[in-house]
Amino acid sequence: MLRFLLTSVFASVVLAVSAAGYGACAISDSAVVGENINSSFPMHSVMKFVQALYVADKCDLSATIEVDKASLLQDTWSPMLSTFEGKHRFSVRQLLSFSLQQSDNNACDILFASCGAPSDVEAYLRSLGFDDIKLRHTEREMHYNPSLSADNSATPLAMAQLLRWFFIHHLDNANFMEVWDMLAACATGSDRLPAAFPDARVVAHKTGTGFPHPDGSFDANDAGIVLLPGAAPLAVAVFVPVGAGVSVADAARALLRQL
């Protein structure tokens, strides 16, 4: 019964968001194009990119954290679970790699517990001048109450602006450069932004996927920097709720045609 109630609540939240259709924004130099660029959408695991900026700016990536496998969620997306038994020490760098490249939910939450809570990451965003990106909940909290994912939200414009900020500053320090390399080696979402830009030299991106609905459908997001030959860097954010009737790749291709 609890699972039914959670699913019903989550569905009502998603239907409210989906009424706006999908959201997409691309920024290239001074050009800004998009669809519903000022509407808020759940970030899902795109929020791991936001977290990564805070971790890279505030934490020692070489520091190690002892992780007890028994304390982690066992029924969530977490490739790191297959890499150890019992207790093991992971570096912040390793956890960040699991989180960004493989979208590991446990790695994300260990970073929240050890480096800075969602409220710290949101305060960091505010200090940078980004007011339309909200980060309120951990993966564990959303695991037990999927409707909370709507609170971790962003407008496509704000996310594209944050991506552009990151590209401008990614050479400022070694940690940001490592985040860039991790995003460029993202192992998820080959059918999303990478599919929309097959000729790109680099697609440095972070995907986000919503909790599955009873029919198996789910929100699909992707946000990243695309480096195309002979073109200015392109910051792209695409949020596609269930029922929007478009794929991430098609929404991104539509953005490119508008530039």
Side-chain angles (χ1 to χ4, degrees):
M1 177 60 74
L2 178 59
R3 180 178 295 275
F4 172 77
L5 290 173
L6 290 178
T7 302
S8 298
V9 171
F10 180 57
S12 67
V13 172
V14 172
L15 285 174
V17 174
S18 300
Y22 72 92
C25 183
I27 301 176
S28 178
D29 288 335
S30 59
V32 179
V33 298
E35 182 82 15
N36 295 312
I37 65 173
N38 291 308
S39 297
S40 291
F41 296 84
M43 289 186 287
H44 301 301
S45 284
V46 172
M47 67 109 167
K48 292 167 182 166
F49 160 65
V50 179
Q51 178 195 48
L53 296 184
Y54 173 87
V55 171
D57 211 8
K58 302 294 184 181
C59 303
D60 177 3
L61 300 192
S62 297
T64 61
I65 301 166
E66 184 176 84
V67 178
D68 183 352
K69 185 173 182 177
S71 70
L72 303 179
L73 288 172
Q74 305 297 310
D75 57 344
T76 189
W77 177 253
S78 184
M80 71 178 290
L81 288 174
S82 66
T83 68
F84 74 110
E85 296 295 335
K87 296 181 180 180
H88 184 78
R89 297 196 72 85
F90 290 90
S91 69
V92 172
R93 177 178 291 107
Q94 289 173 307
L95 293 168
L96 203 56
S97 178
F98 274 120
S99 180
L100 287 179
Q101 292 181 273
Q102 299 187 59
S103 208
D104 193 295
N105 293 334
N106 279 316
C108 175
D109 274 359
I110 296 166
L111 293 172
F112 276 139
S114 303
C115 298
S119 59
D120 298 313
V121 179
E122 185 167 312
Y124 173 71
L125 289 173
R126 300 295 174 269
S127 74
L128 298 178
F130 295 96
D131 296 330
D132 291 329
I133 301 175
K134 299 176 175 62
L135 212 168
R136 305 289 167 79
H137 303 293
T138 65
E139 289 286 359
R140 180 180 289 269
E141 290 168 341
M142 293 185 290
H143 179 79
Y144 289 114
N145 186 354
S147 68
L148 295 178
S149 62
D151 295 336
N152 285 355
S153 66
T155 67
L157 176 60
M159 184 57 66
Q161 290 172 329
L162 182 63
L163 287 160
R164 182 172 171 81
W165 179 92
F166 171 61
F167 182 77
I168 291 169
H169 293 282
H170 81 281
L171 298 178
D172 286 0
N173 64 57
N175 286 0
F176 276 177
M177 290 174 66
E178 289 196 51
V179 170
W180 171 264
D181 289 340
M182 291 175 191
L183 293 171
C186 178
T188 62
S190 60
D191 60 341
R192 298 185 191 182
L193 288 187
F197 304 101
D199 298 327
R201 293 186 292 110
V202 177
V203 180
H205 67 119
K206 181 69 198 79
T207 57
T209 302
F211 290 91
H213 288 239
D215 64 357
S217 61
F218 50 81
D219 297 354
N221 302 337
D222 206 353
I225 296 290
V226 180
L227 302 183
L228 292 164
L234 186 65
V236 183
V238 180
F239 302 102
V240 180
V242 167
V246 67
S247 69
V248 169
D250 285 343
R253 292 185 188 102
L255 292 172
L256 189 59
R257 289 193 292 270
Q258 295 177 52
L259 289 170

